[in-house]
Amino acid sequence: MKRDQIQKWLEEGYQILSDGEPKGIEGTLLDSVNKLNDEEPQVFMLEDLLKWPDDRLDKLDGFSDEQMEAMDS
């Protein structure tokens, strides 16, 4: 996963990455994320992902290189 893609999702109004898919949430952010983490193990705050080192982002599951390239175009 690339840092510029995460920034693009934030600019588009998404707040979280859930099972490899950017999503917006309604209501309070904390309540929504807590509920998702009870149901799905792969939920990340996009703002937090921007702080991760590149090598850790590269290991993040969810998208293949082809999917990432398609999103960039």
Side-chain angles (χ1 to χ4, degrees):
M1 178 158 301
K2 302 296 180 205
R3 196 171 305 283
D4 55 341
Q5 181 60 55
I6 296 167
Q7 185 63 47
K8 182 178 175 183
W9 287 329
L10 283 167
E11 291 169 3
E12 292 173 356
Y14 297 108
Q15 293 92 8
I16 62 172
L17 184 68
S18 176
D19 284 333
E21 183 178 331
K23 295 182 180 178
I25 59 166
E26 294 184 26
T28 65
L29 190 59
L30 185 58
D31 288 341
S32 297
V33 171
N34 283 339
K35 288 177 193 172
L36 287 171
N37 274 328
D38 288 342
E39 301 168 13
E40 305 171 28
Q42 290 286 326
V43 178
F44 302 95
M45 300 293 298
L46 291 174
E47 288 184 6
D48 290 342
L49 292 179
L50 286 175
K51 299 171 188 171
W52 286 19
D54 289 336
D55 61 332
R56 188 169 175 202
L57 283 176
D58 289 341
K59 295 176 186 173
L60 188 62
D61 292 333
F63 295 105
S64 67
D65 289 339
E66 293 81 21
Q67 289 171 313
M68 294 301 294
E69 289 173 13
M71 285 186 254
D72 288 338
S73 58

